[in-house]
């Protein structure tokens, strides 16, 4: 028995040594060496190496991206009950990576890892309860799991717990506790938490209003690559809130966020190009930005783009395109779009003339609170 125990300890030590060397190589950017070391340890049965190797296959790091190989490695590693393997495998089933999505299977895997005290598994469980994927939607249980994971120091859980306190989901609203958890997550470098904290300081909710502090927090988040934070910085520069007003810096930050495909920045930048208040007027650029944002599903872009097509500003006048984009905006509940589309139907511009549909759309806009001139 003693010899068997000693052999087991020796094997574990050898696995650990090989995996640690792989980790060191990975940190140094020597992905080929890391891959070979992980592969060796994985073949010998190290669950940690199997997971690390799976992540390299998943993210195309030092090896060709092969989700199915990653999945097979995680399946093997999870048999030992290794919590990280259970969670990573759960994510594959949750998101349908290399396999058909199966949120219920993901739930079971997260639950098994959470029962072993693994904080990240608790966070993933909370997300399923919050969204109702693979399990009945239950905000209170989501809140409870986020709280458990947050207390264990999970940054994502702390960020999401702050959001639940802020919005009063699964618990009573409490901006002070929202700030408490966001501060913890922000201190660990969470860009989402820094963004959220910035809003509290900007609005003075649960904290003394401080626009300069808000700007600083947005900047920290933007430096981590948050497009949303970059957009907010642009807005503060545009309006001169918490920082000296600067049109050039506003345009610079809007452009940066737009390049990251953040559609609100595309719309804001388009507006600046249209009114020429902060940069040279350029309706053509505005139209291009609005079309890109609209095709990506931005809620504000379709109406603005429809108006350009209707008026022939920045694009060739095209009532058919105007009607198309007004329809998209109208379906999203925009009363002005409903009214404008109604006018196109009434006059037969870009669509077949239809006075009945025209009145229906204009009545809908009126019922939504739009002041409609004249009689319908």
């Amino acid at each position: 028995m003693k010899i068997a125990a000693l052999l087991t300890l020796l094997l574990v030590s050898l696995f650990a040594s090989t995996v640690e060397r792989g980790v060191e190589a990975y940190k140094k950017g020597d992905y080929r060496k890391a891959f070979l070391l992980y592969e060796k340890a994985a073949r010998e049965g190290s669950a940690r190496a199997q997971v690390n190797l799976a992540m390299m296959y998943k993210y195309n790091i030092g090896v060709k991206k092969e989700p199915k190989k990653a999945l097979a490695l995680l399946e093997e590693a999870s048999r030992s009950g290794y919590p990280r393997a259970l969670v990573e495998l759960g994510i594959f089933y949750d998101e349908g990576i290399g396999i058909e999505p199966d949120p219920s299977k993901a739930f079971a895997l997260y639950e098994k890892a959470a029962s072993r005290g693994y904080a990240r598994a608790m966070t993933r469980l909370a997300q399923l309860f919050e969204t109702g994927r693979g399990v009945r939607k239950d905000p209170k249980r989501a809140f409870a799991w986020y709280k458990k994971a947050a207390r264990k120091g999970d940054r994502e859980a702390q960020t999401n717990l702050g959001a639940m306190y802020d919005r009063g989901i699964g618990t009573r609203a409490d901006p002070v506790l929202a700030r408490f958890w966001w501060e913890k997550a922000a201190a660990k470098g969470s860009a989402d938490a820094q963004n959220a904290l910035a809003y509290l300081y900007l609005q003075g909710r649960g904290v003394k209003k401080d626009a300069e502090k808000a700007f600083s927090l947005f900047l920290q988040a933007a430096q981590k690559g948050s497009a949303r934070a970059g957009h907010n910085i642009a807005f503060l520069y545009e309006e001169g809130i918490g920082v000296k007003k600067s049109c050039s810096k506003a345009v610079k930050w809007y452009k940066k966020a737009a390049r990251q495909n953040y559609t609100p920045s595309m719309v804001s930048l388009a507006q600046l190009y249209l009114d020429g208040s902060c940069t040279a007027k350029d309706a053509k650029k505005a139209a291009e930005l609005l079309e890109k944002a609209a095709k990506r599903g931005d809620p504000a872009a379709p109406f603005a783009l429809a108006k350009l097509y209707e008026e022939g500003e920045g694009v060739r006048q095209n009532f058919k395109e105007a009607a198309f984009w007004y329809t998209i905006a109208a379906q999203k509940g925009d009363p002005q779009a409903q009214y404008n589309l109604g006018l196109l139907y009434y006059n037969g511009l870009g669509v077949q003339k239809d006075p009945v549909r025209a009145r229906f759309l204009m009545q809908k806009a009126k019922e939504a609170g739009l002041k409609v001139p004249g009689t319908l």
Side-chain angles (χ1 to χ4, degrees):
M1 289 293 291
K2 287 183 178 180
I3 293 172
L6 284 170
L7 285 171
T8 301
L9 284 171
L10 180 61
L11 283 171
V12 170
S13 176
L14 287 170
F15 287 161
S17 174
T18 305
V19 176
E20 287 305 328
R21 282 159 54 212
V23 170
E24 284 302 310
Y26 187 94
K27 286 178 179 177
K28 291 174 182 176
D30 190 346
Y31 300 128
R32 183 60 186 162
K33 184 178 179 181
F35 175 83
L36 292 171
L37 287 165
Y38 289 154
E39 191 176 46
K40 182 178 185 294
R43 278 198 307 267
E44 292 166 351
S46 166
R48 185 184 174 198
Q50 288 161 351
V51 174
N52 289 354
L53 194 59
M55 294 302 98
M56 294 187 83
Y57 277 119
K58 179 183 178 181
Y59 294 112
N60 187 29
I61 300 171
V63 66
K64 183 182 175 183
K65 186 174 183 175
E66 293 193 53
K68 289 190 182 298
K69 277 192 178 180
L71 179 66
L73 283 160
L74 292 174
E75 293 275 13
E76 190 175 348
S78 68
R79 292 189 191 107
S80 68
Y82 182 44
R84 186 180 166 217
L86 293 167
V87 171
E88 295 296 349
L89 182 59
I91 291 169
F92 270 60
Y93 278 105
D94 198 357
E95 299 176 5
I97 302 169
I99 198 168
E100 283 297 309
D102 188 344
S104 297
K105 180 76 180 280
F107 177 85
L109 289 161
Y110 295 153
E111 192 172 43
K112 190 174 179 181
S115 71
R116 287 162 166 75
Y118 196 55
R120 189 163 171 240
M122 296 173 186
T123 300
R124 298 296 299 199
L125 264 184
Q127 289 167 342
L128 293 187
F129 278 118
E130 186 178 9
T131 59
R133 292 194 325 277
V135 67
R136 186 176 178 180
K137 192 172 181 177
D138 190 333
K140 287 185 178 179
R141 291 185 77 179
F143 172 81
W145 279 112
Y146 277 138
K147 197 169 188 178
K148 283 182 182 179
R151 283 174 170 169
K152 283 181 169 286
D154 186 83
R155 188 178 76 176
E156 189 176 3
Q158 291 169 343
T159 302
N160 294 348
L161 183 62
M164 296 196 91
Y165 273 120
D166 184 53
R167 294 176 296 190
I169 298 173
T171 187
R172 63 181 178 80
D174 190 330
V176 175
L177 281 173
R179 186 190 73 180
F180 172 81
W181 287 109
W182 280 337
E183 281 179 343
K184 281 189 171 294
K188 292 177 181 175
S190 168
D192 287 338
Q194 288 163 346
N195 252 317
L197 265 181
Y199 281 117
L200 289 187
Y201 279 105
L202 198 59
Q203 297 160 5
R205 288 189 299 112
V207 68
K208 186 180 177 182
K209 196 170 184 178
D210 189 337
E212 289 183 7
K213 175 79 171 176
F215 178 85
S216 173
L217 285 162
F218 281 138
L219 187 59
Q220 288 176 50
Q223 287 168 343
K224 291 181 177 68
S226 169
R228 184 182 176 194
H231 174 81
N232 292 331
I233 288 170
F235 175 76
L236 295 184
Y237 270 123
E238 184 185 355
E239 299 296 326
I241 300 171
V243 68
K244 187 178 178 182
K245 185 171 180 175
S246 172
C247 281
S248 62
K249 288 180 180 178
V251 169
K252 173 190 165 185
W253 279 100
Y254 278 139
K255 282 183 175 178
K256 185 175 180 180
R259 283 195 297 271
Q260 292 174 269
N261 292 321
Y262 191 66
T263 59
S265 286
M266 296 176 195
V267 174
S268 295
L269 187 57
Q271 192 56 54
L272 294 184
Y273 280 128
L274 284 172
D275 61 32
S277 60
C278 240
T279 188
K281 197 167 184 177
D282 192 331
K284 187 178 177 182
K285 277 186 182 177
E288 289 169 355
L289 284 162
L290 288 172
E291 186 140 13
K292 188 176 180 182
K295 286 177 177 176
R296 287 181 171 271
D298 186 272
F303 176 81
L305 182 60
K307 200 158 181 61
L308 294 187
Y309 274 115
E310 184 181 13
E311 297 173 357
E313 187 177 3
V315 289
R316 183 178 293 179
Q317 191 175 48
N318 187 327
F319 291 113
K320 189 175 180 179
E321 281 291 317
F324 174 80
W325 290 111
Y326 275 141
T327 300
I328 300 294
Q331 288 170 346
K332 292 178 186 289
D334 185 326
Q336 188 64 62
Q338 291 164 349
Y339 181 78
N340 290 10
L341 182 60
L343 287 177
L344 292 184
Y345 273 106
Y346 186 80
N347 294 304
L349 295 171
V351 290
Q352 189 173 344
K353 191 167 184 174
D354 188 339
V356 174
R357 180 148 184 80
R359 289 192 184 92
F360 169 77
L361 285 163
M362 290 189 277
Q363 181 63 38
K364 201 171 179 182
K366 185 178 181 181
E367 288 169 0
L370 187 72
K371 290 185 179 179
V372 177
T375 56
L376 297 176

